[in-house]
Amino acid sequence: MNTTATSETNDVRATILATGQRLMAGKGFSAVGLNEILTGAGVPKGSFYHYFGSKDAFGEALLDTYFEDYLAELDVTLAQPGLNMAQRLISYFEVWRQTQSFFDCQGKCLAVKMAAEVADLSEAMRLSIKRGTSGIVRRLAAAIEAGVAEGSLSIDADADSTAHSLYQLWLGTSVMVKIERDVAPFTTAMNTTHQILHLSQH
């Protein structure tokens, strides 16, 4: 395959994935059909299997791409110049609060939307989510360790346990926000985060 053809194939595949991410973040995995994705992507309906072997394979690729982008953004957030590590961590959770709300997630809350649904549907997708969330927790743990070392925060448990607790807190809170149709639980989660990291409230 020549370079131009390869580029076009990658572009079409990326378009299908981006369209699927947007639709599934709103409706969930099972509720979105392949025809809806392909129509939204402007791709002929018969060409899906040229790019993906099955809907599950598409879901796995979708999640892998989502977490790859998410982790790259997290790395940028945790390396922001001019801030200490405690401020960077709070910045991360502030971005979470802004982007994971029930009314305007725009494809950014894919893990929250799909985690419980697909964990029992597909082992490949469950493992993709597990890899992605493990990557998030590892980065949070490293940031917490760095924050302790520089003195910008302190913790009562070890960094890994604290990172798991914080991620589970915010993941669960995101579900409650969707249930209650109210972003108030994020305020509670932020207050709890400050307490866990022994940070003063502003």
Side-chain angles (χ1 to χ4, degrees):
M1 183 178 292
N2 61 45
T3 303
T4 301
T6 300
S7 177
E8 290 176 356
T9 296
N10 290 339
D11 288 346
V12 173
R13 186 177 187 275
T15 298
I16 296 172
L17 287 170
T19 302
Q21 178 173 328
R22 176 175 52 80
L23 292 171
M24 289 179 177
K27 298 181 179 181
F29 182 78
S30 299
V32 177
L34 298 183
N35 286 345
E36 183 178 2
I37 295 171
L38 294 171
T39 299
V43 176
K45 294 181 178 180
S47 64
F48 176 85
Y49 295 104
H50 176 70
Y51 301 100
F52 305 98
S54 64
K55 190 180 179 185
D56 279 6
F58 169 77
E60 182 182 9
L62 180 66
L63 288 163
D64 286 345
T65 300
Y66 169 81
F67 280 111
E68 182 180 341
D69 292 343
Y70 188 105
L71 293 173
E73 291 180 8
L74 177 54
D75 288 338
V76 171
T77 300
L78 295 179
Q80 292 178 85
L83 301 178
N84 62 39
M85 194 55 80
Q87 291 169 327
R88 291 167 182 161
L89 281 164
I90 293 303
S91 175
Y92 165 67
F93 290 117
E94 187 58 49
V95 170
W96 185 316
R97 175 159 59 179
Q98 294 169 5
T99 59
Q100 304 283 328
S101 61
F102 65 89
F103 52 83
D104 190 27
C105 73
Q106 295 179 331
K108 296 178 180 178
C109 50
L110 191 70
V112 174
K113 185 72 175 182
M114 290 178 60
E117 178 188 4
V118 304
D120 294 329
L121 292 178
S122 164
E123 181 68 2
M125 283 189 282
R126 183 189 71 81
L127 291 174
S128 178
I129 293 174
K130 183 179 179 180
R131 288 192 299 271
T133 55
S134 294
I136 295 170
V137 171
R138 282 196 303 272
R139 285 163 171 78
L140 294 179
I144 290 167
E145 282 187 347
V148 170
E150 72 183 13
S152 64
L153 60 89
S154 64
I155 53 178
D156 295 325
D158 62 272
D160 187 61
S161 296
T162 302
H164 275 90
S165 295
L166 285 173
Y167 186 74
Q168 290 163 10
L169 165 68
W170 281 85
L171 192 64
T173 298
S174 296
V175 175
M176 288 306 301
V177 164
K178 292 180 184 302
I179 292 171
E180 297 182 10
R181 296 275 176 186
D182 190 326
V183 296
F186 280 140
T187 299
T188 303
M190 185 63 82
N191 291 339
T192 302
T193 299
H194 277 80
Q195 293 168 7
I196 290 173
L197 300 177
H198 296 164
L199 303 176
S200 60
Q201 300 279 5
H202 297 292

